[in-house]
């Protein structure tokens, strides 16, 4: 009997391919080409499963053209590329890759926070340009991290891992805002205090965004929120680019209304808002929040296990919906 056919939409860790191969006929993308939507739909013909990266839009229109598709397994915790309602209605299982990237992504939030607060990119550019001629008392002054107030917007698993680092590692006063308040025991463990969104922006010395992106959280940080921030404050985004109004942020940074921003995600990525590129007081990284070798391998392995779990053993490992199978 022939094996079920799977599409692996992007190049992934070889361990994931090795895991899938005994169970499925695979069409892979070793060159890591970015397929158009039409190409993706053409390649999905005859496939029962798709290993997706988080960049492929899976919606009702695509599903209508891919009648054999039963599951899409994202190799990312974020799943804003999935229309979950459409997938459920079409009988298609959606899965993501949570937990395995929590600590690595929290590390990256702190990397950006520290680089931004201490102006590391700007300092390195200054040195490399040969501008450093002498020590001076006010050269490249930044903001402190230890003992400062850390404001976390979005307090899921990654937010909590960032809070632990801030409170326990740097003696920070951690405040957070979330759709729902954590229970008292979890708040005590991560040493974080719930505040309103407005108070978070007013009080925080460093703001970190880890809100899941959806139409409801689009531009959750815009000119009004930035205007509440202290002139010495920084903001880091490791969620999704669409959480921030980038034009408003660039304008505030250009006018030195806040100290700086650290951005790993962008609204039109991989295109970057030219207003941001022109600035010194922003640290820019290309969506590498989860990019450590072991974590990327674990994310790919989990996506593979979701495909095997659902299509071979009848149960996904980390399901996002409960569809009536096609
Ligand atoms: C995620 O898993 O959502 C990260 O942003 C990597 O895409």
């Amino acid at each position: 009997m022939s094996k079920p056919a799977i599409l692996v939409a992007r190049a992934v860790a070889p361990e994931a391919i090795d895991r899938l191969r005994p169970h499925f006929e695979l069409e892979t993308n070793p060159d890591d080409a970015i397929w158009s939507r039409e190409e993706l739909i053409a390649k999905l013909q005859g496939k029962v499963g798709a290993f997706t990266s988080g960049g492929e839009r899976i919606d009702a229109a695509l599903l209508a053209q891919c009648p054999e598709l039963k599951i899409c397994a994202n190799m990312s915790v974020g799943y804003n590329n999935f229309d979950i309602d459409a997938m459920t209605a079409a009988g298609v299982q959606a899965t993501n890759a949570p937990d395995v990237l929590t600590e690595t992504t929290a590390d990256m939030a702190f990397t950006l926070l520290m680089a931004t607060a201490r102006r590391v990119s700007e300092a390195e550019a200054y040195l490399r340009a040969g501008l450093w001629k002498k020590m001076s008392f006010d050269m490249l002054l930044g903001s402190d991290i230890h003992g400062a107030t850390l404001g976390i917007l979005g307090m899921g698993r990654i937010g909590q891992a960032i809070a632990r680092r801030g409170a326990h590692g740097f003696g920070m006063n951690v405040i957070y805002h979330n759709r729902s308040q954590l229970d008292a025991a979890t708040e005590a463990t991560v040493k974080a205090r719930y505040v309103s969104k407005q108070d978070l922006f007013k009080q925080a010395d460093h703001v970190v965004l880890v809100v899941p992106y959806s139409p409801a959280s689009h531009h959750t940080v815009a000119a009004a929120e930035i205007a509440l921030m202290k002139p010495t404050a920084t903001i880091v985004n490791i969620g999704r680019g669409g959480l921030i109004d980038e034009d408003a942020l660039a304008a505030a940074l250009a006018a030195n209304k806040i100290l700086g921003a650290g951005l790993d995600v962008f609204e039109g990525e991989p295109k970057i808002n030219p207003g941001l590129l022109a600035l010194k007081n922003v640290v820019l990284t290309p969506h590498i929040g989860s990019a450590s070798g072991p974590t990327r391998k674990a994310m790919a392995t989990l996506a593979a296990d979701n495909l095997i779990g659902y299509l071979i053993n009848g149960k996904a490992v980390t399901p996002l919906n409960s569809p009536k199978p096609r």
Side-chain angles (χ1 to χ4, degrees), residues 37-291:
R37 187 169 163 88
E38 291 68 34
E39 285 170 319
L40 177 65
I41 291 170
K43 286 178 186 293
L44 281 171
Q45 299 311 304
K47 307 294 191 308
V48 291
F51 184 124
T52 45
S53 70
E56 303 78 9
R57 178 91 193 128
I58 307 294
D59 55 18
L62 178 140
L63 295 172
Q65 293 180 73
C66 305
E68 284 154 283
L69 194 59
K70 294 182 167 50
I71 171 171
C72 295
N74 253 3
M75 194 198 105
S76 61
V77 67
Y79 52 90
N80 49 298
N81 59 316
F82 288 165
D83 181 335
I84 296 286
D85 290 344
M87 292 174 79
T88 306
V92 174
Q93 178 72 63
T95 66
N96 67 341
D99 300 323
V100 289
L101 48 48
T102 297
E103 300 300 330
T104 299
T105 309
D107 286 350
M108 184 65 192
F110 251 88
T111 305
L112 280 176
L113 190 165
M114 296 177 80
T116 306
R118 298 302 302 273
R119 302 170 63 180
V120 170
S121 298
E122 193 182 345
E124 189 181 359
Y126 178 84
L127 180 150
R128 285 181 186 273
L131 298 171
W132 185 32
K133 304 294 181 204
K134 60 177 173 31
M135 286 295 294
S136 39
F137 81 97
D138 59 351
M139 185 175 75
L140 291 158
L141 299 182
S143 293
D144 273 326
I145 298 149
H146 70 275
T149 295
L150 171 62
I152 303 174
L153 194 60
M155 202 55 152
R157 288 165 284 224
I158 298 172
Q160 291 174 37
I162 295 166
R164 283 199 315 272
R165 280 161 177 72
H168 297 287
F170 289 86
M172 298 177 91
N173 164 39
V174 182
I175 56 178
Y176 75 97
H177 182 75
N178 198 40
R179 256 182 322 191
S180 47
Q181 186 170 353
L182 299 177
D183 61 75
T186 311
E187 280 190 348
T189 307
V190 298
K191 286 179 99 176
R193 186 167 52 86
Y194 185 82
V195 294
S196 69
K197 184 178 168 193
Q198 242 206 358
D199 283 349
L200 185 138
F201 280 90
K202 276 192 201 158
Q203 293 173 20
D205 297 303
H206 306 291
V207 174
V208 178
L209 303 181
V210 247
V211 185
Y213 181 70
S214 70
S217 60
H218 181 72
H219 288 186
T220 200
V221 179
E225 286 73 24
I226 298 168
L228 297 172
M229 293 173 71
K230 302 175 186 179
T232 49
T234 70
I235 184 162
V236 162
N237 188 7
I238 53 154
R240 286 290 182 267
L243 295 174
I244 299 192
D245 177 341
E246 290 176 346
D247 288 335
L249 178 65
L253 289 166
N256 294 313
K257 299 273 190 220
I258 58 173
L259 182 79
L263 306 175
D264 186 47
V265 285
F266 304 90
E267 199 161 359
E269 63 184 53
K271 290 205 183 85
I272 309 296
N273 184 315
L276 292 171
L277 281 176
L279 295 167
K280 285 188 185 161
N281 51 351
V282 55
V283 179
L284 306 167
T285 52
H287 203 146
I288 54 169
S290 60

